[in-house]
Amino acid sequence: MTRYIAVLLVLLALFYAVSGVAAVARGWVIPMNRRHVRVPRIYGWGQLMVAFALCWQTAFGFSASGTRASGTLIGSAILLAGLIVMVVGQCAGGKRKRGGTP
């Protein structure tokens, strides 16, 4: 893996992590996703899982040992699980509370 791709992946993971922490702590979701997200805290946990998976895959992408394949496979499983949790946050029942962000 080249370094410029790794830098882009880490920046993307940082964006997801900051957005996930905001969703978990305050219930805040970025404006273009607000209509779709029904449970912001679950959605935020999914974003944190995706951020962790991107960092995991970046770390194992640079390893030259035999653990590279299994590390990236585990990272892909975590990424898929995070995406599923994000979808659950979008599809979960109930309406958003009116006291939060619009």
Side-chain angles (χ1 to χ4, degrees), residues 4 7-8 18 24-25 41 45 56 63 67 70 76 79 83 86 92 94:
Y4 66 90
V7 169
L8 288 175
V18 169
V24 170
R41 294 198 187 343
W45 281 112
W56 181 279
S63 67
T67 61
S70 62
S76 297
L79 182 69
L83 291 174
M86 287 173 65

Side-chain angles (χ1 to χ4, degrees), residues 7-98:
V7 169
L8 288 175
L9 281 176
V10 168
L11 288 175
L12 183 65
L14 182 65
F15 172 73
Y16 268 104
V18 169
S19 181
V21 167
V24 170
R26 300 279 186 181
W28 184 86
V29 180
I30 58 174
M32 71 177 161
N33 288 345
R34 284 185 188 155
R35 281 190 312 163
H36 306 290
V37 176
R38 295 188 184 262
V39 185
R41 294 198 187 343
I42 294 175
Y43 187 79
W45 281 112
Q47 285 182 321
L48 288 173
M49 289 175 68
V50 168
F52 178 75
L54 287 175
C55 289
W56 181 279
Q57 287 183 336
T58 303
F60 277 98
F62 281 115
S63 67
S65 64
T67 61
R68 181 177 184 176
S70 62
T72 54
L73 183 63
I74 292 169
S76 297
I78 297 170
L79 182 69
L80 182 63
L83 291 174
I84 290 171
V85 170
M86 287 173 65
V87 168
V88 167
Q90 289 180 349
C91 296
K95 293 186 178 184
R96 290 189 62 178
K97 296 178 187 174
R98 271 303 199 194

